[in-house]
Amino acid sequence: MLFATITFACLSISQAKAEDARPNVVLILVDDLGLHDIGIEGSKFHQTPHIDALAKRGMRFTAGYANCRVCSPSRASIQLGQFTARHGITDWIGAKTGMNFNRGDELLPAEYAHEMPAKDVTLPEALRESGYKTFFAGKWHLGGEGSMPTDHGFDINIGGHHRGSPPGGFFAPYKNPVMEDGPDGESLTRRLGKETASFIEEQDDQPYFAMLSFYAVHGPIQTTQELWQKYRESAPTPPADGNRFKIDRTLPVRQIQDNPVYAGMMETLDNAVGDVMAAIEASGKADNTLVIFTGDNGGVSSGDAYSTSNLPHRGGKGRQWEGGLREPYYVSMPAIVPENSTSDVPVIGSDLYPTILDVCNLPLRPQQHVDGRSLETVLTSGIDESLEQRSLIWHYPHYGNQGGEPSSVIRTGDYKLIHYHLDSHDELYHLPTDIGEQNDLASEQPERVAAMRKELLAYLKSVDAKFPEPDPRFDPEKAKQRWARTHGPNKERLEKREAAMLAPNWKPNGDWWGSTVD
């Protein structure tokens, strides 16, 4: 049995609903959050007491996954209850495809949908149809005009638009077209938390669904001078050889958490979560409020800001290994979910749609959330054997900015298979004994590989998945030159840049990204 032994001495969901009003729902989604960025998940550098307390408040899933290694596809999967290949948003919206992509790689990234389909019934639409008031704050990145949060079921939208990173950075003025600026130097992360807290405080007897979708901890990584100093002083001793990064196939990957700017962002994020949780407690309805906390893809260990390490998981955002897919996945509701409980059952973002409907005692919509499964039985009784061996599927026919390769992934039980689209080879890993994905078992277990590949490709065919094609412009010699630059001068510059952040006199710019206000 995968589930940890705990005592379940609480009401069933139906009993709880009979005695109380319909549950409120708060969904907290963090951008680019690594599993091991959280204290309860092993970080010795980042300080996250509020998030740790949230995790202990209910059930912590130890095998929680995002639906994609980058943001937009995962976000769509939460809204639609589907794997990415089915809804067609398989890359972050705005990424180039086909012949418009010209980075010197061997394949042309596949085409993908650039907004959520209007015909689908989203999670907030399903809740609103059942009498819920719906609220959204933060990052959307699922389309622009005609496909904004208010076009897909949210009554209120604060800050959600077509862009995936904050236009004005993490301090006011925000330059956000759908959010009023605060005073100069105000933290965007705290502002979004306070907006969500204010919404919760203003509600009466109408049930609500509030989704707080942080722009943090996506780049640009920015913090205050005070927080930078705090974490500069508490940073761990740097590696003896001075190498914070190692090359993993395509790009350098960070091996240590010691970035003081990113750590400052994590503390601000944690305090914003604390603002929301305090509002829930003050509402008097905390026992009957379903709170979910998760992320949209793994931490940025390579490419972009190179800001965190996901070890012992391999890789990070944009990459096909566990570091790019594993996420914190916490679900709490004191009326029905025992505190300090854990589950090893593999779960994924697309499960949230049917789970929320189930907990709210609303009819399921199996034709909509066709790939998602309700976690209600696990939450209330600790066991759902049907979930333990089901297959989870990821499809990313693109190149990641962080070094990821076009590939599709299937996890069935304890085994994970990665199928590469460049040459159709497979990697097979047994996750309980090889969480770092270092021991490829494909040659030792050909029958398992064949069965998992067959299931994966059959699913992709059934949903008309798109695949990459060869790039006729590919030049092997230029590829070798780029490889040499990555291993040589580019890595050297990266090592020097990251070491400099810990120097006593380091200063990013004149006003610490606008956080210093005279």
Side-chain angles (χ1 to χ4, degrees):
M1 182 184 300
L2 293 173
F3 190 78
T5 302
I6 57 174
T7 300
F8 286 84
C10 54
L11 296 174
S12 70
I13 284 183
S14 60
Q15 289 174 317
K17 303 299 186 316
E19 299 182 12
D20 297 301
R22 284 178 294 173
N24 298 312
V25 182
V26 178
L27 171 56
I28 301 173
L29 181 67
V30 186
D31 197 13
D32 288 0
L33 179 67
L35 173 63
H36 301 294
D37 285 336
I38 307 299
I40 198 171
E41 303 293 353
S43 180
K44 298 295 191 291
F45 183 44
H46 306 146
Q47 297 181 15
T48 59
H50 296 295
I51 299 174
D52 295 347
L54 193 164
K56 296 174 184 177
R57 183 176 182 265
M59 181 171 289
R60 179 166 68 97
F61 287 89
T62 63
Y65 286 97
N67 277 92
C68 188
R69 59 183 97 164
V70 296
C71 59
S72 298
S74 288
R75 292 165 180 271
S77 290
I78 290 172
Q79 301 295 333
L80 301 172
Q82 300 172 2
F83 295 155
T84 59
R86 187 182 299 275
H87 59 64
I89 302 175
T90 53
D91 205 354
W92 60 273
I93 294 175
K96 293 181 179 180
T97 59
M99 293 296 286
N100 291 322
F101 179 88
N102 190 12
R103 207 176 62 184
D105 290 301
E106 294 185 65
L107 297 177
L108 297 172
E111 301 298 328
Y112 63 90
H114 285 242
E115 61 182 28
M116 287 202 300
K119 64 178 177 61
D120 283 55
V121 179
T122 64
L123 172 60
E125 286 174 330
L127 291 169
R128 188 166 68 177
E129 288 177 9
S130 299
Y132 276 71
K133 188 168 185 178
T134 55
F135 168 92
F136 183 89
K139 173 173 173 173
W140 180 242
H141 205 188
L142 289 172
E145 184 177 354
S147 188
M148 296 280 276
T150 48
D151 296 307
H152 290 289
F154 288 103
D155 297 315
I156 300 168
N157 169 36
I158 299 175
H161 60 118
H162 70 285
R163 290 188 60 174
S165 57
F170 282 97
F171 298 98
Y174 305 123
K175 302 179 183 178
N176 188 306
V178 287
M179 185 174 71
E180 293 182 3
D181 276 325
D184 286 356
E186 179 186 58
S187 163
L188 172 61
T189 302
R190 293 299 296 273
R191 167 69 177 278
L192 293 173
K194 291 181 185 300
E195 291 281 2
T196 306
S198 295
F199 170 79
I200 292 169
E201 292 164 355
E202 294 166 0
Q203 303 315 301
D204 45 31
D205 293 331
Q206 182 181 6
Y208 64 81
F209 170 51
M211 181 170 181
L212 171 53
S213 176
F214 286 107
Y215 281 95
V217 284
H218 190 287
I221 59 166
Q222 298 174 344
T223 193
T224 64
Q225 185 174 7
E226 292 75 19
L227 285 174
W228 164 78
Q229 180 66 23
K230 172 182 177 178
Y231 287 99
R232 187 193 75 80
E233 293 174 353
S234 65
T237 303
D241 61 4
N243 290 312
R244 287 175 170 81
F245 300 87
K246 78 170 186 179
I247 303 291
D248 190 354
R249 292 236 285 247
T250 54
L251 286 177
V253 178
R254 194 179 191 101
Q255 303 295 297
I256 184 174
Q257 289 184 352
D258 70 347
N259 186 316
V261 176
Y262 187 76
M265 290 186 76
M266 286 296 303
E267 178 168 322
T268 302
L269 168 71
D270 185 71
N271 286 329
V273 171
D275 294 336
V276 175
M277 297 306 295
I280 293 172
E281 291 298 326
S283 72
K285 301 177 181 178
D287 283 356
N288 201 39
T289 299
L290 176 68
V291 180
I292 300 167
F293 178 93
T294 190
D296 65 353
N297 53 247
V300 183
S301 61
S302 185
D304 299 342
Y306 293 89
S307 48
T308 193
S309 170
N310 299 299
L311 293 177
H313 293 119
R314 184 178 181 182
K317 177 183 178 180
R319 293 187 167 227
Q320 57 272 22
W321 296 295
E322 295 291 278
L325 298 169
R326 287 276 186 131
E327 284 299 313
Y329 203 107
Y330 311 143
V331 182
S332 71
M333 183 175 166
I336 63 170
V337 182
E339 65 179 7
N340 288 313
S341 53
T342 60
S343 173
D344 296 334
V345 173
V347 294
I348 196 165
S350 48
D351 293 334
L352 296 180
Y353 192 141
T355 299
I356 290 171
L357 293 185
D358 230 358
V359 171
C360 293
N361 205 26
L362 298 174
L364 296 183
R365 297 171 178 256
Q367 291 183 324
Q368 173 59 54
H369 49 73
V370 61
D371 297 314
R373 295 282 298 277
S374 173
L375 308 178
E376 180 264 339
T377 302
V378 176
L379 292 171
T380 57
S381 68
I383 300 172
D384 188 338
E385 294 181 358
S386 68
L387 289 174
E388 294 181 2
Q389 294 300 317
R390 64 146 174 182
S391 293
L392 302 179
I393 290 175
W394 296 264
H395 181 56
Y396 191 71
H398 313 280
Y399 286 100
N401 292 338
Q402 303 79 20
E405 300 153 79
S407 53
S408 298
V409 177
I410 180 170
R411 172 171 176 167
T412 305
D414 290 335
Y415 285 89
K416 173 182 173 182
L417 180 134
I418 305 174
H419 179 75
Y420 290 86
H421 298 303
L422 176 61
D423 58 7
S424 293
H425 89 275
D426 301 298
E427 294 172 356
L428 179 69
Y429 299 104
H430 183 249
L431 296 176
T433 59
D434 183 23
I435 198 61
E437 295 169 283
Q438 297 297 312
N439 183 24
D440 180 7
L441 302 174
S443 62
E444 299 175 20
Q445 300 190 37
E447 292 183 358
R448 186 183 300 275
V449 168
M452 293 180 71
R453 184 200 307 122
K454 181 179 179 181
E455 181 182 356
L456 171 63
L457 296 181
Y459 173 85
L460 296 177
K461 182 179 180 180
S462 74
V463 297
D464 193 26
K466 305 299 185 291
F467 294 91
E469 298 179 355
D471 188 342
R473 301 166 297 183
F474 176 67
D475 186 329
E477 186 57 37
K478 289 184 178 179
K480 290 181 181 178
Q481 294 171 5
R482 185 176 66 171
W483 176 261
R485 291 193 298 271
T486 297
H487 280 67
N490 290 358
K491 182 177 181 296
E492 292 175 8
R493 282 193 294 269
L494 178 63
E495 295 283 5
K496 290 179 180 178
R497 185 190 76 184
E498 296 300 309
M501 286 188 186
L502 291 163
N505 60 349
W506 183 79
K507 191 174 183 180
N509 56 20
D511 61 359
W512 285 82
W513 302 292
S515 66
T516 301
V517 180
D518 296 328

